[in-house]
Amino acid sequence: MQKVYEIAQLQALREKMQGSVGFVPTMGALHAGHLSLIRRAREENDHVIVSIFVNPTQFLEGEDFESYPRKEEADSEICRRAGIDLLFFPHAEALYEKDELRILAPAIRGYILEGEKRPGHFDGVLQVVMKLFNLTRPTRAYFGKKDAQQLALISQMVRNYFLPTEIVACEIVRDEKGLALSSRNAYLSDEEKQRALALSRALRLASERIGAGERDARKIEAVMEEALSETDKIDYAVAVRRDFQAIDEIEIGNTILLVAAWVGKTRLIDNLWL
Ligand code: AMP
């Protein structure tokens, strides 16, 4: 595995790659969720590039950019063991100019749910992913369903800008109790970890109600809200279509249940694809 910090080094190594390239963009503090994406990329491509970059433009004022966990040594070891070819650790100064041309998230889908709670977040995500795609020129890029709205917007960017990359959606990896793995789980105390299980429980209870025949989206949302009462603040608990349009009726095969809630000072998200 080669580890590079400079854009020119990355481009020179990418130039030498023959065949397919799988790309996994991350913010590091790697866990088994990230590793599942990396392993899949390894299985499906001749070469694998992983990037680790805590991207400042996708954090809002007052969010956890400064305190976000940074674990370069441990992450490098995980990547090396996973057999990737190239690990890219860019510097923010090299990626960004002062007054940049911007890619804006779509007006509606980019500014509801996560986009409403974190206005501008997806603009920053799309900006950095476009840069990383142009640098790594991947055949396939791997994203977790954990960030469902991000996945939908990146798929839309690829479509709207005719990018020659296939987006591969990967299943959510959870711990043995059901908590979706996240680098931000490191912020949780034991007691908070216990209460954080309310998110996956809300999704499970909702899916049981749907399994029992309930199709009214508002009733399903009420079930999720009730289960989230253990958290400190609910940002949203909704059922939407896979394209993120609002729905009144659950449609199996085309619905995502999404929850976002605060436990202490930590904001957590989870979802379930029906
Ligand atoms: P992040 O480092 O949090 O930006 O995540 C990098 C990629 O890993 C994104 O595509 C995430 O959706 C994905 N990811 C994060 N957590 C999980 C998880 N628990 N299961 C599957 N994918 C995940």
Side-chain angles (χ1 to χ4, degrees):
M1 179 185 87
Q2 308 229 36
K3 177 159 136 184
V4 299
Y5 299 89
E6 305 300 332
I7 286 175
Q9 289 175 305
L10 174 87
Q11 287 172 313
L13 290 167
R14 171 64 184 89
E15 202 60 44
K16 290 195 197 130
M17 289 179 180
Q18 303 277 339
S20 62
V21 172
F23 176 48
V24 185
T26 80
M27 298 206 298
L30 300 180
H31 51 63
H34 297 114
L35 198 53
S36 71
L37 273 53
I38 295 171
R39 290 212 177 107
R40 181 146 177 211
R42 181 67 289 172
E43 279 165 22
E44 297 178 352
N45 299 279
D46 298 315
H47 302 279
V48 177
I49 306 176
V50 173
S51 66
I52 296 185
F53 180 56
V54 184
N55 173 38
T57 70
Q58 71 191 67
F59 286 80
L60 275 69
E61 203 62 37
E63 287 190 343
D64 58 344
F65 174 70
E66 298 297 337
S67 58
Y68 198 85
R70 289 164 172 85
K71 302 192 165 174
E72 179 172 342
E73 286 315 310
D75 287 349
S76 304
E77 185 57 19
I78 289 169
C79 288
R80 196 185 60 70
R81 287 194 194 185
I84 74 161
D85 299 78
L86 186 48
L87 177 57
F88 182 42
F89 267 103
H91 302 290
E93 311 78 63
L95 275 188
Y96 293 114
E97 280 183 30
K98 282 237 152 38
D99 183 25
E100 286 229 342
L101 172 155
R102 298 303 302 262
I103 298 171
L104 297 180
I108 298 170
R109 200 178 299 146
Y111 285 85
I112 55 169
L113 303 170
E114 283 304 284
E116 185 189 354
K117 295 296 171 189
R118 306 180 69 192
H121 166 68
F122 287 124
D123 302 344
V125 169
L126 296 176
Q127 178 186 35
V128 76
V129 170
M130 179 67 109
K131 284 172 188 278
L132 293 170
F133 277 9
N134 286 331
L135 290 170
T136 57
R137 293 184 282 117
T139 315
R140 300 181 188 87
Y142 296 80
F143 291 89
K145 289 183 175 179
K146 163 99 186 332
D147 298 281
Q149 202 174 349
Q150 166 177 286
L151 173 61
L153 294 175
I154 289 167
S155 301
Q156 183 176 358
M157 181 172 76
V158 163
R159 206 164 61 238
N160 291 171
Y161 287 86
F162 307 104
L163 302 181
T165 293
E166 179 193 339
I167 301 301
V168 182
C170 301
E171 296 306 320
I172 300 175
V173 177
R174 301 172 178 283
D175 74 7
E176 62 285 351
K177 291 191 175 146
L179 180 65
L181 298 188
S182 162
S183 306
R184 290 192 168 97
N185 292 351
Y187 301 148
L188 299 171
S189 68
D190 287 346
E191 181 270 332
E192 287 173 339
K193 243 187 188 159
Q194 206 55 37
R195 286 196 293 125
L197 294 174
L199 279 85
S200 55
R201 191 179 318 121
L203 297 169
R204 199 179 59 243
L205 291 172
S207 84
E208 283 169 11
R209 280 290 282 276
I210 294 164
E214 183 63 73
R215 291 292 180 273
D216 182 329
R218 300 295 87 73
K219 288 193 178 149
I220 293 303
E221 289 168 355
V223 168
M224 296 195 287
E225 277 173 22
E226 167 73 27
L228 287 171
S229 60
E230 263 186 70
T231 65
D232 294 305
K233 182 168 166 266
I234 303 173
D235 270 357
Y236 55 80
V238 292
V240 295
R241 232 163 53 186
R242 285 196 178 183
D243 61 5
F244 281 81
Q245 297 293 325
I247 50 167
D248 292 324
E249 290 264 307
I250 305 286
E251 187 193 340
I252 305 294
N254 192 18
T255 300
I256 312 179
L257 306 178
L258 298 149
V259 291
W262 292 81
V263 178
K265 290 189 164 59
T266 306
R267 185 174 186 278
L268 299 169
I269 59 171
D270 199 351
N271 66 71
L272 182 70
W273 298 47
L274 298 169

